[in-house]
Amino acid sequence: MRPNRRKAEPTIALINIVFLMLIFFLVAGTLAPPLESDLKLVSTADLDHAPPQSALVVHSDGGLSFRGEAIADTAQFMELRDNSEPFLRIVPDRDLSAHDLVELGKHLRAAGAEQILIVTERGLQ
């Protein structure tokens, strides 16, 4: 009488095939075509680090300003802003609390803002 032998599991072979396919595609494919060697990208290091003119500036104490002038609240900003832009830009102070920024976003949404962009230091660079 023969002892019952287990049949080999085919999962090891499948893992090996998937691993080899992964290696093949990593070597054969590129994620993005390389830039041309004579191409020089634009440098923005020398730009003035001022917020965009259409942005709502939020100071660390929660005060608001628009185009260099203090404003009372988000309703006044919604009246003064250019309605042709599809989104709002907010430039918050680094020391502004996240809670205050979220509350400001809620007020702007309630006032009719559909899309709000937060401009950061890297975005200005």
Side-chain angles (χ1 to χ4, degrees), residues 91-118:
V91 181
D93 188 277
R94 179 182 304 232
D95 296 328
L96 180 71
S97 73
H99 180 268
D100 292 343
L101 185 60
V102 170
E103 287 298 315
L104 177 67
K106 287 179 183 177
H107 290 296
L108 289 170
R109 287 288 232 187
E114 292 182 23
Q115 187 177 11
I116 301 171
L117 301 176
I118 298 175

Side-chain angles (χ1 to χ4, degrees), residues 16-29:
N16 288 339
I17 290 171
V18 170
F19 181 72
L20 289 173
M21 288 175 59
L22 175 69
I23 298 296
F24 171 77
F25 286 115
L26 284 174
V27 172

